Amino acid sequence: MTQTTQQTPPYIPADTMEVLLSHEQIHKRIAEIGAQITKDYAGESIVLVGVLKGAAIFLSDLARQIKVDATFDFVAVSSYGKGTRSSGAVKLIKDLDNSIEGKNIIIVEDILDTGLTLNFLRKLMLQHHPKTMRIATFLDKPSRRIQQIEADYVCFSIPNHFVIGYGMDYAERYRNVDDVRLMPEDPHA
Ligand code: PRP
């Protein structure tokens, strides 16, 4: 009997890929965004809501540049292929651990692409009646937008390249790469 198994693509070493954003550029920009958030929320408390898995690295670095009272929570949404997701079918697979009612929340994402994920999460979070809600994204690809949404804090706006590193994956790999690099072939092309 033949079993169908999903093929794992061959590993392409990240250091053979072109760097789009260097470690130094990333950390300089995150320090600026962290300072802006610190200023905007002076005297307040905030909940940073990370969207697993991609945002984990950005949240970790951003949080350490924020100098106000902050706590973390995490959500996860279903990760369909982008083709499937453009149907609008985003599902929550891990909910918040704690109530956000009456709290200042910042949803933290690694990338804002079609906007479907953040539109879904924005509506969901608003049902919990936070005091305020903003969005911070490491990358923004405005040319890919299907549903209108803007982030309040954007580290970098980039053209429609398929990128990996700094939390972003291809077939779950490369999240640990310490800069943002261009995949040699765009898997979405
Ligand atoms: C990425 C990213 C966002 C979403 C953005 O998640 O982390 O959640 O895509 O895309 P959209 O604007 O088109 O909805 P992905 O599905 O790759 O999961 P991951 O975070 O686990 O890598």
Side-chain angles (χ1 to χ4, degrees), residues 32-50:
E32 290 169 2
I33 296 290
Q36 185 64 51
I37 291 173
T38 301
K39 197 171 155 208
D40 292 348
Y41 291 88
E44 298 274 336
S45 299
I46 54 178
V47 183
L48 300 174
V49 178

Side-chain angles (χ1 to χ4, degrees), residues 116-176:
L116 294 168
T117 304
L118 274 170
N119 260 299
F120 170 82
L121 286 172
R122 178 172 63 179
K123 284 183 198 140
L124 192 76
M125 296 294 141
L126 287 174
Q127 289 170 9
H128 293 283
H129 306 293
K131 180 180 171 192
T132 64
M133 187 185 71
R134 285 186 176 163
I135 294 167
T137 190
F138 175 60
L139 297 184
D140 187 9
K141 278 187 185 176
S143 66
R144 292 261 308 165
R145 210 72 95 244
I146 292 173
Q147 287 184 355
Q148 182 53 37
I149 188 161
E150 299 302 328
D152 302 279
Y153 304 102
V154 177
C155 287
F156 300 97
S157 192
I158 63 163
N160 185 24
H161 298 307
F162 191 91
V163 291
I164 55 89
Y166 201 72
M168 289 167 289
D169 73 308
Y170 176 55
E172 293 296 328
R173 287 172 168 147
Y174 308 115
R175 296 190 196 274
N176 58 315

Side-chain angles (χ1 to χ4, degrees), residues 51-56 76-82 85-86 90 108-119 121 137 141 144-147 149 162 167-170 172 175 188:
V51 186
L52 296 171
K53 303 173 193 163
V77 295
S78 51
S79 183
Y80 298 115
K82 295 287 176 180
R85 184 177 283 180
S86 61
V90 182
V108 180
E109 263 288 23
D110 56 335
I111 187 159
L112 172 50
D113 189 353
T114 64
L116 294 168
T117 304
L118 274 170
N119 260 299
L121 286 172
T137 190
K141 278 187 185 176
R144 292 261 308 165
R145 210 72 95 244
I146 292 173
Q147 287 184 355
I149 188 161
F162 191 91
M168 289 167 289
D169 73 308
Y170 176 55
E172 293 296 328
R175 296 190 196 274
H188 293 161

Side-chain angles (χ1 to χ4, degrees), residues 15 17 26 28 69 95-96 122 155 175:
D15 60 9
M17 299 178 197
I26 292 169
K28 182 170 177 284
D69 178 29
D95 205 345
L96 294 164
R122 178 172 63 179
C155 287
R175 296 190 196 274

Side-chain angles (χ1 to χ4, degrees), residues 49-113:
V49 178
V51 186
L52 296 171
K53 303 173 193 163
I57 303 241
F58 175 46
L59 185 143
S60 154
D61 282 343
L62 178 66
R64 283 176 285 179
Q65 299 299 324
I66 294 174
K67 311 298 179 192
V68 300
D69 178 29
T71 57
F72 299 170
D73 209 332
F74 293 93
V75 292
V77 295
S78 51
S79 183
Y80 298 115
K82 295 287 176 180
T84 313
R85 184 177 283 180
S86 61
S87 67
V90 182
K91 275 193 202 154
L92 190 72
I93 52 175
K94 187 219 165 290
D95 205 345
L96 294 164
D97 290 332
N98 299 304
S99 169
I100 55 166
E101 190 174 339
K103 307 225 170 124
N104 297 308
I105 70 161
I106 302 179
I107 304 176
V108 180
E109 263 288 23
D110 56 335
I111 187 159
L112 172 50
D113 189 353

